[in-house]
Amino acid sequence: MATHCSILAWEIPWTEEPGGLYPRDSQASSPTPQFKSINSSFEHSLALPFFGIGIKTDLFQSYKHFAFLNFFFSDMIQERNAIVGERYRWPHTIPYVLDDSLEMNARGVILKAFERYRLKSCIDFKPWSGEPNYISVFKGNGCWSSVGKQLTRMQQLSIGEGCDRIATVQHEFLHALGFWHEQSRSDRDDYVSIIWDRIISGKERNFDSYDDQVIDSMNVPYDYSSVMHYSKTAFGNGSEPTIVTRVPDFMDVIGQRMDFSDSDVLKLNQLYNCSSSLSFMESCDFELENVCGMIQSSADSADWQRLSQVSEGPESDHSNMGQCRGSGFFMHFDSSSVNEGATAILESRIFYPKRGFQCLQFFLYNSGSQDDQLNIYIREYSVAHVSSTLTLVEQIKDIPSGSWQLYHVTLNVTSKFRVVFEGVRGAGASLGGLSIDDINLSETWCPHHVWHIRNFTQLISSPSGSFFSPPFYSSKGYAFQIYLDLYSLPKIGMYFHLISGANDDQLEWPCPWQQVTMTILDQTPDIRQRMSNQRSLTTDPFLTTDNGTYFWDRPSKVGAQVIFPNGTQFYIGRGRGFPNFMTQEMLKSRDFIKGDDVYILLAVEDISHLNEQNYPLPTLDVSDLCTSFRCENDGICILQNGKAECRCRSGDDWWYMGERCEKRGSTRDTIVIATSSTAAVFALMLIITLVSVYYTRKKYRKESSSRMVNTIMENLDQAALF
Ligand SMILES: [Zn+2]
């Protein structure tokens, strides 16, 4: 576990995902990425150890990096590390188009990567609606991006096969925002050695560094943990490293693809003059005596105290886990000194929401009565600022005792508000009380489920048997389990399995377009500094197995029968996931394991709305009913509840509708004139703008030439989905 006392804890992240950088003639033909041991995409596999089946097919892919430096050299004078000149900066809100070519999973992952920008910087993204410049994200050959805004109206950014990983998307957009690779810095020879004779012949220029007139360090020290750094084996002609760090400890740090590093965030925010972010609201570890502006209520019977230790527990705070002498504080409600029903109320300062949805997360420790509880309220203020209303959002009961526990509470607040923590003394004996620490509040989505794994060190030191999560339900009603594969240490695998559940008769099968996001939480106190490791996969209803069945079909049909420890019989489908989700070394870095606890955050979201094509679901006998039911405007006929129906085509701002897709709708038809006159004027302007959007967009799509100057292509070598 890392500490936060005074020395920075360095993560040991992904070691796979090398890249390269070399100049390229802008007139040359489209890039030709190299694939190492490439396999067909989405090779499905099994991970059902308790069936005695354990077939695995590692799918490693590799891409080249390209950089086309011959474009802006004359301009890259003043601000460096980024391509220079204000005209190559994007506005703070970047217009984008998700091209039809993108895989479904990539679409969802790209939107999640945007959320990380919104949390950690002032960079935001919006669907393109006629702005002069925009980024078209498409599925090209590999992952690549130009550096900086290119003034080409449409600027392409490729998220190709194997690139649908959140940190890879973050990396590509950092290029687009103007950043080069970290090891291209002029001072890189002070920090890394390039071993030229281990580099694939002809690829040496990928390792060029650039004069400090070209690349600026922005007064930030060389960052081994940058998401923009190559890995140690980038462009290697063998297994020996091509980059050797001057400090050996950093060999396995370079090349991480988990999240922005602190320095990545610092540089991005400097370059774009960010002073705040869209979705971050608060992070409080109670290390400062002002307790983040929280106030004690006078309408209660006790106060929360700022402590660093309680005799009955906790022995230390959660932020530092007691590793820092003289610091390490949390807030404590001593329920042993008050009678049943007594309360202690702590209110946050006032927050001003921008997005209307929030996730509150914090760690809670119970050393009091089993019946002690924590209530979370929202105090909302009216526009007039005179009165406030208090709404109970969540009652947290049955809090396990003896360790820090992570809680998430979803809020949906649209006007200014405070968060109110109310400790309530329950019945029964109490020798301690309730403690809270490491509060984070952001306008982001909470995970749907949390898989809390305790005593992790012991578990990983003697991995035995299958290691499945408890069963969970997705919001759509699909039952699932997560499998953590500790058989192949030091690689740790993670897989998603559908299992039979109570709603199966009402659900669509094969399970269509549910995006599963699995995150191992970096428990660093401040959410802005976390580098959690996150991967997503999407259930493709068309995916078939080698015996011809649909991969994501109903588990009772295609799965195997198994038994829960309590004796309940159920069915489990095949698993799909990541054989190298994380290495054991990485897991020991940062704060992935804290207090010997690991948290795996899970979300399963329906992303079928991201599917521009509105693909029909596979059915076996569509043809009979559909032959006499013709859909217009390229709509597709499907069977739904035994009847033929049309699925109509749609785009970001247009769609077809009606029983046969005979009617066309577009945004301009449906803009609702807002209630105020200013809004009405705005809406009118919007209508005028949008009239030409669709046609212009169509025209631009045709222009998607391979005009790639100043473009960087990645050389990924990562464990892909299987
Ligand atoms: Zn790159």
Side-chain angles (χ1 to χ4, degrees):
M1 191 192 71
T3 68
H4 299 275
C5 307
S6 55
I7 301 165
L8 257 184
W10 292 93
E11 63 285 349
I12 302 174
W14 287 96
T15 58
E16 301 158 337
E17 193 170 355
L21 178 66
Y22 64 80
R24 182 172 180 274
D25 182 356
S26 63
Q27 298 304 311
S29 58
S30 60
T32 50
Q34 289 183 335
F35 294 84
K36 272 196 287 193
S37 63
I38 185 77
N39 209 329
S40 62
S41 65
F42 295 157
E43 174 79 15
H44 52 258
S45 70
L46 309 175
L48 299 178
F50 61 63
F51 297 166
I53 308 168
I55 303 164
K56 287 189 185 154
T57 315
D58 262 315
L59 177 64
F60 290 92
Q61 298 181 346
S62 170
Y63 303 85
K64 284 192 302 193
H65 270 207
F66 295 108
F68 306 102
L69 300 173
N70 50 348
F71 187 52
F72 290 119
F73 267 27
S74 57
D75 294 307
M76 288 190 282
I77 304 298
Q78 310 116 27
E79 294 175 67
R80 297 148 290 183
N81 198 29
I83 198 161
V84 178
E86 274 305 309
R87 63 190 171 128
Y88 302 120
R89 297 280 168 274
W90 284 93
H92 284 166
T93 301
I94 301 176
Y96 70 91
V97 167
L98 298 186
D99 189 83
D100 293 351
S101 59
L102 283 170
E103 298 280 348
M104 281 294 276
N105 191 56
R107 290 165 180 272
V109 168
I110 291 162
L111 298 182
K112 286 188 185 304
F114 291 170
E115 284 297 308
R116 283 188 163 175
Y117 276 93
R118 289 175 183 128
L119 179 69
K120 298 186 174 188
S121 76
C122 64
I123 302 297
D124 193 7
F125 300 85
K126 67 179 282 291
W128 179 62
S129 58
E131 291 84 356
N133 293 284
Y134 68 99
I135 293 180
S136 172
V137 193
F138 82 117
K139 183 182 178 182
N141 263 334
C143 350
W144 52 259
S145 167
S146 305
V147 176
K149 190 175 79 176
Q150 298 291 293
L151 306 177
T152 52
R153 289 191 296 189
M154 181 189 78
Q155 177 172 334
Q156 286 190 303
L157 185 153
S158 170
I159 297 300
E161 193 81 54
C163 307
D164 52 348
R165 172 177 186 157
I166 189 164
T168 302
V169 178
Q170 291 172 262
H171 175 114
E172 294 310 327
F173 272 91
L174 276 182
H175 283 317
L177 282 155
F179 289 91
W180 302 92
H181 288 131
E182 186 70 6
Q183 78 286 344
S184 300
R185 286 168 58 138
S186 58
D187 60 351
R188 71 104 185 270
D189 291 336
D190 293 341
Y191 304 96
V192 295
S193 307
I194 307 299
I195 316 296
W196 296 98
D197 58 6
R198 292 178 187 161
I199 296 170
I200 299 169
S201 177
K203 306 295 180 202
E204 293 83 359
R205 296 202 66 182
N206 291 298
F207 294 84
D208 284 350
S209 64
Y210 299 96
D211 187 86
D212 59 8
Q213 291 297 300
V214 175
I215 289 190
D216 182 12
S217 57
M218 300 176 76
N219 200 26
V220 174
Y222 192 86
D223 182 16
Y224 292 105
S225 64
S226 169
V227 80
M228 301 307 281
H229 204 295
Y230 281 10
S231 81
K232 62 182 177 184
T233 53
F235 288 101
N237 55 18
S239 56
E240 294 292 295
T242 50
I243 302 178
V244 173
T245 56
R246 299 264 182 213
V247 183
D249 286 352
F250 292 117
M251 277 305 276
D252 289 322
V253 169
I254 57 173
Q256 71 88 7
R257 292 294 179 269
M258 295 190 295
D259 201 343
F260 300 123
S261 70
D262 287 352
S263 294
D264 290 332
V265 173
L266 184 64
K267 285 193 276 191
L268 176 62
N269 286 334
Q270 273 185 26
L271 190 65
Y272 281 87
N273 296 320
C274 295
S275 57
S276 64
S277 77
L278 181 71
S279 64
F280 174 77
M281 295 191 120
E282 170 70 313
S283 182
C284 190
D285 57 11
F286 300 110
E287 292 311 297
L288 298 178
E289 280 181 56
N290 72 354
V291 294
C292 310
M294 287 196 164
I295 50 175
Q296 305 277 356
S297 168
S298 51
D300 55 2
S301 31
D303 277 348
W304 289 79
Q305 299 163 279
R306 179 173 169 266
L307 301 174
S308 54
Q309 193 180 357
V310 173
S311 59
E312 294 300 314
E315 287 172 6
S316 72
D317 74 332
H318 186 267
S319 322
N320 304 307
M321 284 283 169
Q323 296 199 0
C324 307
R325 197 174 297 167
S327 68
F329 291 93
F330 52 87
M331 297 302 281
H332 180 72
F333 162 44
D334 178 5
S335 68
S336 70
S337 64
V338 291
N339 296 324
E340 183 181 341
T343 58
I345 296 173
L346 191 65
E347 298 201 18
S348 75
R349 67 174 192 275
I350 292 176
F351 299 112
Y352 298 85
K354 296 175 193 155
R355 306 181 84 185
F357 60 91
Q358 300 82 21
C359 183
L360 169 70
Q361 51 168 288
F362 54 90
F363 286 86
L364 181 60
Y365 192 110
N366 183 17
S367 60
S369 152
Q370 249 191 342
D371 290 339
D372 284 356
Q373 74 180 59
L374 184 72
N375 295 331
I376 308 292
Y377 295 85
I378 290 302
R379 184 184 296 285
E380 271 184 281
Y381 292 88
S382 63
V383 181
H385 192 12
V386 188
S387 58
S388 69
T389 53
L390 201 60
T391 311
L392 178 64
V393 183
E394 188 129 332
Q395 289 182 294
I396 301 172
K397 298 175 180 175
D398 301 321
I399 307 158
S401 60
S403 71
W404 288 103
Q405 306 281 327
L406 174 65
Y407 286 89
H408 290 89
V409 178
T410 295
L411 313 175
N412 292 292
V413 194
T414 51
S415 51
K416 64 181 181 183
F417 69 103
R418 297 176 194 269
V419 179
V420 180
F421 296 86
E422 181 193 50
V424 184
R425 168 73 157 101
S430 167
L431 296 169
L434 294 175
S435 307
I436 51 177
D437 201 3
D438 293 354
I439 296 172
N440 281 287
L441 178 65
S442 55
E443 293 205 274
T444 56
W445 305 106
C446 283
H448 302 165
H449 299 285
V450 175
W451 180 18
H452 181 187
I453 306 172
R454 305 198 58 189
N455 304 318
F456 197 83
T457 311
Q458 192 185 342
L459 193 77
I460 207 163
S461 59
S462 56
S464 57
S466 56
F467 195 43
F468 276 87
S469 74
F472 297 112
Y473 278 100
S474 77
S475 49
K476 278 263 169 179
Y478 291 97
F480 66 93
Q481 278 185 295
I482 301 298
Y483 174 63
L484 196 64
D485 178 13
L486 302 178
Y487 279 99
S488 314
L489 294 176
K491 288 180 185 172
I492 296 170
M494 185 137 45
Y495 301 85
F496 171 81
H497 294 255
L498 284 173
I499 61 171
S500 52
N503 315 308
D504 286 2
D505 286 342
Q506 285 82 50
L507 293 169
E508 280 185 284
W509 302 102
C511 173
W513 312 123
Q514 302 297 301
Q515 185 164 52
V516 182
T517 299
M518 305 181 278
T519 307
I520 295 194
L521 179 70
D522 174 8
Q523 300 175 59
T524 298
D526 190 329
I527 193 172
R528 292 166 297 181
Q529 292 170 350
R530 287 181 183 167
M531 292 171 66
S532 298
N533 195 26
Q534 180 176 106
R535 304 297 300 266
S536 300
L537 63 93
T538 298
T539 63
D540 177 349
F542 297 101
L543 184 68
T544 53
T545 63
D546 36 14
N547 63 15
T549 56
Y550 288 114
F551 192 97
W552 299 112
D553 212 343
R554 195 169 167 164
S556 61
K557 191 172 157 192
V558 297
Q561 195 174 23
V562 283
I563 301 171
F564 277 127
N566 67 5
T568 312
Q569 284 197 341
F570 70 109
Y571 291 88
I572 184 164
R574 296 183 182 198
R576 201 159 154 74
F578 307 92
N580 192 7
F581 189 92
M582 208 169 186
T583 65
Q584 198 172 354
E585 279 303 296
M586 287 163 58
L587 195 67
K588 287 180 190 162
S589 69
R590 299 194 64 83
D591 276 350
F592 289 108
I593 306 173
K594 201 168 186 179
D596 216 9
D597 289 357
V598 165
Y599 289 97
I600 296 176
L601 313 182
L602 302 166
V604 181
E605 297 151 281
D606 186 347
I607 58 164
S608 36
H609 62 282
L610 299 179
N611 189 346
E612 276 216 336
Q613 308 285 339
N614 268 341
Y615 294 115
L617 298 175
T619 48
L620 297 176
D621 53 352
V622 182
S623 52
D624 297 345
L625 281 167
C626 281
T627 40
S628 55
F629 196 85
R630 209 174 65 79
C631 304
E632 296 176 20
N633 294 308
D634 298 331
I636 298 165
C637 178
I638 60 145
L639 282 189
Q640 185 79 9
N641 301 323
K643 282 197 267 176
E645 280 182 11
C646 289
R647 290 284 162 98
C648 309
R649 289 179 61 227
S650 67
D652 284 351
D653 45 32
W654 56 270
W655 57 88
Y656 286 104
M657 54 193 170
E659 199 184 12
R660 310 268 173 143
C661 306
E662 68 281 8
K663 284 184 256 174
R664 186 172 182 282
S666 77
T667 324
R668 63 193 150 122
D669 305 326
T670 54
I671 287 174
V672 179
I673 303 298
T675 46
S676 83
S677 60
T678 14
V681 171
F682 172 73
L684 185 63
M685 290 167 67
L686 195 59
I687 290 169
I688 293 163
T689 312
L690 287 174
V691 165
S692 59
V693 164
Y694 169 64
Y695 297 100
T696 324
R697 182 180 161 198
K698 209 169 173 182
K699 189 177 145 224
Y700 281 179
R701 277 187 184 171
K702 284 183 185 157
E703 283 178 6
S704 59
S705 63
S706 54
R707 188 182 168 194
M708 287 184 296
V709 279
N710 221 46
T711 301
I712 290 193
M713 186 154 190
E714 306 310 333
N715 177 355
L716 300 182
D717 183 13
Q718 62 187 37
L721 176 68
F722 86 106

